[in-house]
Amino acid sequence: MFSILDFISSKDSGVTTQEIQNEFKDMSLQDIVVEINNLHTDSLIDVFKTKGGIVYRRNTEPQSFSTPEEKIIYLLIKEVGVEGIWIKDIRTKSGLHQNLVTKLLKTLEQRLLIKSVKSIKQNRKVYMLYDAIPSDDLGDGPWFTQEAELDTGFVDAIKNVAYEWILNSTRSDGLPPFESLPEVKHVHAFLLRAEISSVILTLDDVKRILDILVYERKLIQLDQKYFLNK
């Protein structure tokens, strides 16, 4: 027999009370509410507050959590994957107070369920699951000090030099010929010749810098080429 739990389990994005009512027309609203409460008490489903109302999702997490709020934060962090999530977004999506969010994040870090990583692109700390491998724009490489702090001065210096070189290399009244547009390897070669950095930058390092400039809408990437966003 198809149960409410089966119905909730079949919808990864979760279901609302109205959707459950539509699916189980023979059940009264009171019986549905009782069943949902029992499922939640048994930790078989999670309850989320969204802009559209209350949503129920199947609980697939084996971890035990001290409070429902702790679990909500964990699931929000899990949902974003390797990109990480900023504390402000956690607070907004969870609806929890700043102090409580900070406390719960610290607890989850101590339990090695999550970790914080510095994001070059966003220039701030983001959170992800402890075992997650950060995406390419997150904290490693020459952009961090020995104290694991983002060296914003160094990042900005390389960004500015790279941008100015592309500006001078593609200066024209209109869009330069496609074949003349610089690629990562050209910017990389220039930075090495200019000896801007005491650290030897790799192609991947330079690619990250150009990705930031694209993210900031200063450059446009077309295939492997880059040009100014005028």
Side-chain angles (χ1 to χ4, degrees), residues 177-224:
F178 179 78
E179 60 273 9
S180 70
L181 295 175
E183 300 179 18
V184 174
K185 62 183 179 181
H186 301 127
V187 182
H188 177 249
F190 165 74
L191 291 173
L192 291 182
R193 290 196 306 271
E195 297 182 345
I196 300 298
S197 169
S198 59
V199 179
I200 297 178
L201 301 176
T202 66
L203 281 170
D204 286 340
D205 294 332
V206 176
K207 175 69 166 58
R208 293 187 187 188
I209 289 295
L210 297 181
D211 285 345
I212 296 172
L213 290 169
V214 172
Y215 178 81
E216 294 175 345
R217 298 185 178 180
K218 293 180 179 178
L219 294 180
I220 294 175
Q221 181 179 3
L222 185 60
D223 290 333
Q224 302 300 316

Side-chain angles (χ1 to χ4, degrees), residues 117-222:
V117 180
K118 294 293 180 62
S119 168
I120 298 175
K121 182 183 289 186
Q122 302 181 57
N123 192 20
R124 58 196 179 199
K125 183 165 64 174
V126 296
Y127 293 88
M128 64 181 62
L129 295 188
Y130 186 79
D131 294 330
I133 299 175
S135 63
D136 287 343
D137 66 307
L138 298 178
D140 60 2
W143 317 115
F144 294 83
T145 66
Q146 292 181 346
E147 292 75 30
E149 294 293 329
L150 179 64
D151 191 342
T152 54
F154 181 46
V155 172
D156 289 341
I158 300 298
K159 277 170 49 184
N160 292 337
V161 171
Y163 178 81
E164 288 295 329
W165 183 79
I166 293 175
L167 171 64
N168 294 327
S169 300
T170 59
R171 193 183 298 276
S172 66
D173 294 334
L175 180 64
F178 179 78
E179 60 273 9
S180 70
L181 295 175
E183 300 179 18
V184 174
K185 62 183 179 181
H186 301 127
V187 182
H188 177 249
F190 165 74
L191 291 173
L192 291 182
R193 290 196 306 271
E195 297 182 345
I196 300 298
S197 169
S198 59
V199 179
I200 297 178
L201 301 176
T202 66
L203 281 170
D204 286 340
D205 294 332
V206 176
K207 175 69 166 58
R208 293 187 187 188
I209 289 295
L210 297 181
D211 285 345
I212 296 172
L213 290 169
V214 172
Y215 178 81
E216 294 175 345
R217 298 185 178 180
K218 293 180 179 178
L219 294 180
I220 294 175
Q221 181 179 3
L222 185 60

